[in-house]
Amino acid sequence: MSVTIRDVAKASGVHISTVSRTFSAPHLVNPNTRSRVLACAEQLGYRPNRAARALITGRTYNIGLIVADIANPFFPPLIKAAESQARKHDHHIFVADTNEDPALEEEVVRALAKQVDGVLLCSPRMSNALIEQLSREVPLVVVNRQITGIPAVAMDVAGGARRAVEHLIALGHRRIALVAGPRGSWTSREIRRSASATARAGSAELTIIGPNPPTEVGGLTVAEDVLRAGATAVFAYNDLMAIGLIEGLLAAGARVPQDVSVVGIDDIMLSRLTRPKLTTVATPTAAAGRAAVDMLLAHGDDRRTTAHVHLQTELVIRDSTGPGPGPHSPADPGDVIAPGGVAS
Amino acid sequence: MSVTIRDVAKASGVHISTVSRTFSAPHLVNPNTRSRVLACAEQLGYRPNRAARALITGRTYNIGLIVADIANPFFPPLIKAAESQARKHDHHIFVADTNEDPALEEEVVRALAKQVDGVLLCSPRMSNALIEQLSREVPLVVVNRQITGIPAVAMDVAGGARRAVEHLIALGHRRIALVAGPRGSWTSREIRRSASATARAGSAELTIIGPNPPTEVGGLTVAEDVLRAGATAVFAYNDLMAIGLIEGLLAAGARVPQDVSVVGIDDIMLSRLTRPKLTTVATPTAAAGRAAVDMLLAHGDDRRTTAHVHLQTELVIRDSTGPGPGPHSPADPGDVIAPGGVAS
DNA sequence: GACATGTGTGCAACCGCTTGCATTAATGTC
DNA sequence: GACATTAATGCAAGCGGTTGCACACATGTC
């Protein structure tokens, strides 16, 4: 049915091992023979069977890419960049979506382990211990997370969060809400830590609302909590939530940014298209995808390359942030109500 | 290194063929033996090597999914649904992005052919002839295209286009522009055909602008052409272009929908979030992803299942369309200028 | 008790390819 | 011209599984 190495061998009058070497070790075969074999292969439409090759060499030329939610606009640019970079190195990408479910994450890694040269774990929700264990079964590169001993591509979300909160403080906001992301997210912890420290340093009050699902709906549903907390500015775990939040705020009659300023993080395509346009922290998503693939492929040679790539983020000021109530805001700690669903 | 069928055989005191049958033909092995083997396998953490299995059975349990542009928000829901549906049947998905390039499309299909049980070709830009040829090399299901002899999942874009244009006509618009999609797109041809027929039936004038790249920028850049054509309403090839177009129109000083009404197609998530919210034709993207996977897997048994699945579309009226200039519009065919980039 | 029947397991070939080793021919060295 | 060296190719084992066939044994039938 399908044309194999034997067909090519027969057609070009050499042994199959010569054909094999023509493709995997060309320098070992006589140039004349080589070109004859290549001609036959071309003519027959021969393509090496990677599965068969992988069986012996252990290299599959496949990469697993695991994301929490393909439909979250944060991921597509990353996937696209990774796929393109992988193809440059003749690798293919398995994409799996875990629906934000840590258990599914583990299962998918295990299911993919034997069929890939390595797995890119994007924004994993698993525990560090589990990730370390899995990394013994298959080469792993984590994106948006830092674990000692595991190669990682991290974006400087802490720096981004700092700049975002500083921006709000500079605008005169003193009562800021942080709409947190999902439990188990490293990014969420980083943001929380950095935003808290920055608020403290700027003598602003930070109310943490969450955890929440990292979706538009997640943002929409906390709009009331934000208003009840009396915040004049909000920093959200990601753009999708920020956009949902703005929807919710507008629906509740609050104006953005006149009454409430909103900052997101990610700079997804959407952020330039909503009204008001979203002020946000741009994360280099595509660069992260490329870097992760590069690390994984480099990784192969020397297993202890636990380098960590750090990518810079950048504050993009658009229209969803504006001046706060000013330095003389009648902020009375007494009327800060702790609404349902608010944690610290 | 990795635990194989032989390790399990040794541990449970049976021949490897018995272990093999325990997994691939359980009814052939004695229940006692079976449970013993399963226990050993579980304890050793054995996972069958799919590549090795594929070598003999010819079934890889992999599916290729080829899209024109992952970053186009139309695709992620489709990919997500397909991946999820595939996983239900214990299949994995290779995702490839072709950057809207037909040549790359062909190359990717060929590269994937041997490693998958079939390929889902989403919105292919290739010629029918080429698709037919490829379908002889690997089982194919096309999405958003119809080719006799090839299983397909098609959305009723023609019906959608009709309803969109009828909606504009009902609002009183008589000079309508169609912002066309990329060359080679079946959807683009369907839309053009259906929109033309509907306009003619409704005594409206339809100016076709394009072809254009199916992106936000593609829409943005034709805003001037639309205004120059004197159209009071526009139907765009997809939501992304419609949204870009609205940006462009607003930037040029035109109000939407007061001066120009805009309808898109796809109902991507974005469409609910922009201002004004986009009137559009909703296409059942996730359903298409699921259906395509199902067809491909069913396909396996009986190669001549060239069924075509047809999915309904639906007009979603939001805020980007409004009343036209009315029946007494001073439309003078004489001042219809054919701007640069306008085709018919 | 002889025989057909069925059940569970082992044996070995094979899927398409890679690779260490043996073999042969060509080349260089003194 | 004998010998070591190098280059090019063939041979065959094996990667981790599957599967047709043979075999041993237990049962049922007359």
Side-chain angles (χ1 to χ4, degrees):
Chain A
M1 160 173 179
S2 158
V3 31
T4 79
I5 205 173
R6 267 165 252 272
D7 302 319
V8 179
K10 203 162 295 171
S12 46
V14 297
H15 192 261
I16 58 161
S17 55
T18 301
V19 178
S20 171
R21 277 188 277 258
T22 302
F23 290 98
S24 48
H27 59 281
L28 289 180
V29 23
N30 184 297
N32 297 325
T33 318
R34 194 195 310 163
S35 55
R36 187 153 39 90
V37 170
L38 286 176
C40 288
E42 166 78 11
Q43 204 229 314
L44 295 175
Y46 169 73
R47 295 248 174 177
N49 181 323
R50 297 171 148 220
R53 176 180 290 178
L55 211 46
I56 299 184
T57 63
R59 293 211 58 182
T60 61
Y61 284 81
N62 292 151
I63 293 177
L65 175 59
I66 301 183
V67 299
D69 179 11
I70 298 174
N72 180 334
F74 171 78
F75 289 111
L78 192 155
I79 300 173
K80 187 175 172 110
E83 200 265 341
S84 152
Q85 186 72 2
R87 186 128 34 103
K88 271 188 205 151
H89 297 281
D90 198 26
H91 283 244
H92 294 150
I93 295 256
F94 276 117
V95 171
D97 180 310
T98 63
N99 267 313
E100 306 273 352
D101 177 354
L104 201 48
E105 241 172 31
E106 176 183 0
E107 172 52 27
V108 168
V109 172
R110 288 235 158 81
L112 243 31
K114 290 277 184 40
Q115 314 188 62
V116 298
D117 294 340
V119 171
L120 267 36
L121 225 44
C122 301
S123 309
R125 303 275 184 262
M126 287 184 276
S127 69
N128 279 8
L130 187 50
I131 292 177
E132 277 163 17
Q133 189 193 320
L134 289 174
S135 87
R136 261 171 257 127
E137 303 175 25
V138 55
L140 240 47
V141 170
V142 293
V143 176
N144 267 348
R145 184 135 178 180
Q146 290 196 295
I147 304 169
T148 30
I150 311 262
V153 175
M155 324 220 200
D156 182 27
V157 284
R162 181 174 48 72
R163 281 188 291 276
V165 173
E166 281 171 355
H167 167 63
L168 294 174
I169 290 174
L171 284 169
H173 295 280
R174 289 295 174 274
R175 298 171 82 174
I176 303 175
L178 174 64
V179 174
R183 207 182 295 279
S185 154
W186 173 84
T187 305
S188 196
R189 286 194 297 276
E190 286 286 295
I191 288 177
R192 181 179 299 210
R193 191 175 54 67
S194 172
S196 295
T198 310
R200 208 175 311 120
S203 309
E205 187 188 320
L206 190 82
T207 309
I208 297 177
I209 302 179
N212 308 290
T215 61
E216 188 209 336
V217 173
L220 190 85
T221 52
V222 295
E224 289 214 351
D225 293 342
V226 166
L227 292 173
R228 239 181 299 155
T232 63
V234 189
F235 179 40
Y237 169 73
N238 69 18
D239 281 359
L240 215 46
M241 297 182 75
I243 290 166
L245 174 66
I246 292 177
E247 288 286 298
L249 291 172
L250 297 176
R255 294 165 305 161
V256 177
Q258 293 84 345
D259 300 327
V260 183
S261 287
V262 177
V263 186
I265 179 163
D266 284 351
D267 195 23
I268 58 178
M269 182 181 56
L270 248 155
S271 310
R272 298 190 326 274
L273 300 171
T274 52
R275 301 278 154 149
K277 293 181 184 174
L278 189 67
T279 294
T280 187
V281 175
T283 52
T285 331
R290 279 191 297 274
V293 167
D294 286 344
M295 286 187 85
L296 194 59
L297 297 182
H299 195 36
D301 313 328
D302 159 18
R303 280 305 225 108
R304 253 159 272 65
T305 318
T306 49
H308 282 205
V309 169
H310 234 85
L311 301 171
Q312 286 312 303
T313 55
E314 191 184 351
L315 182 67
V316 180
I317 299 173
R318 298 206 181 93
D319 310 332
S320 66
T321 49
H328 302 300
S329 154
D332 176 4
D335 66 15
V336 174
I337 303 154
V342 170
S344 68
Chain B
M1 164 171 179
S2 157
V3 31
T4 80
I5 204 173
R6 271 162 248 273
D7 301 320
V8 178
K10 203 162 296 172
S12 46
V14 297
H15 192 260
I16 58 161
S17 55
T18 302
V19 178
S20 171
R21 277 188 275 257
T22 302
F23 290 97
S24 49
H27 59 280
L28 290 181
V29 22
N30 183 297
N32 297 325
T33 319
R34 192 196 311 162
S35 56
R36 188 154 38 92
V37 170
L38 286 176
C40 288
E42 166 79 10
Q43 205 228 315
L44 295 175
Y46 169 73
R47 296 245 174 178
N49 181 324
R50 297 171 149 219
R53 177 179 291 178
L55 210 48
I56 299 186
T57 63
R59 293 211 57 181
T60 62
Y61 284 82
N62 292 152
I63 294 176
L65 175 60
I66 301 184
V67 299
D69 179 12
I70 298 174
N72 180 334
F74 171 77
F75 289 110
L78 193 155
I79 300 174
K80 187 175 171 111
E83 200 264 341
S84 152
Q85 186 72 3
R87 185 126 37 102
K88 271 189 204 149
H89 297 282
D90 199 26
H91 283 244
H92 294 150
I93 294 255
F94 276 117
V95 171
D97 181 310
T98 63
N99 267 314
E100 304 274 352
D101 177 354
L104 201 49
E105 240 172 29
E106 176 183 2
E107 171 52 26
V108 168
V109 172
R110 288 234 158 82
L112 242 32
K114 291 275 185 41
Q115 316 187 62
V116 299
D117 294 340
V119 172
L120 268 37
L121 225 44
C122 302
S123 309
R125 304 276 184 259
M126 288 183 275
S127 69
N128 279 8
L130 187 50
I131 292 177
E132 276 163 17
Q133 189 192 321
L134 289 174
S135 87
R136 260 171 258 125
E137 304 175 25
V138 54
L140 240 47
V141 170
V142 293
V143 176
N144 268 348
R145 185 138 176 176
Q146 289 196 295
I147 305 168
T148 28
I150 311 262
V153 175
M155 323 220 200
D156 181 28
V157 285
R162 180 174 48 71
R163 281 186 291 274
V165 174
E166 280 172 355
H167 167 61
L168 295 174
I169 291 174
L171 284 168
H173 295 280
R174 289 294 173 274
R175 300 172 80 174
I176 302 176
L178 173 64
V179 174
R183 206 183 296 280
S185 154
W186 174 84
T187 305
S188 197
R189 286 195 298 276
E190 286 287 296
I191 288 177
R192 181 180 300 209
R193 189 175 55 67
S194 173
S196 296
T198 310
R200 205 176 312 120
S203 309
E205 187 188 319
L206 190 80
T207 309
I208 297 178
I209 302 179
N212 308 289
T215 61
E216 187 209 336
V217 173
L220 190 87
T221 52
V222 296
E224 290 214 350
D225 292 343
V226 167
L227 292 173
R228 238 181 300 156
T232 63
V234 188
F235 179 39
Y237 169 72
N238 68 18
D239 282 359
L240 215 45
M241 298 182 74
I243 290 166
L245 174 65
I246 292 177
E247 286 286 299
L249 291 172
L250 296 176
R255 293 165 306 161
V256 177
Q258 292 84 346
D259 299 326
V260 183
S261 287
V262 176
V263 186
I265 179 162
D266 284 350
D267 195 23
I268 58 178
M269 182 181 55
L270 248 154
S271 309
R272 297 191 325 275
L273 299 171
T274 52
R275 302 278 156 147
K277 293 181 184 175
L278 189 68
T279 294
T280 186
V281 175
T283 53
T285 331
R290 278 191 297 274
V293 167
D294 286 343
M295 285 188 86
L296 193 60
L297 297 183
H299 195 36
D301 314 328
D302 160 19
R303 281 303 227 110
R304 252 159 273 64
T305 317
T306 50
H308 281 206
V309 168
H310 233 85
L311 301 172
Q312 286 313 302
T313 56
E314 190 185 349
L315 182 66
V316 180
I317 299 173
R318 298 208 181 92
D319 310 332
S320 65
T321 49
H328 302 300
S329 153
D332 175 7
D335 65 16
V336 174
I337 303 153
V342 170
S344 67

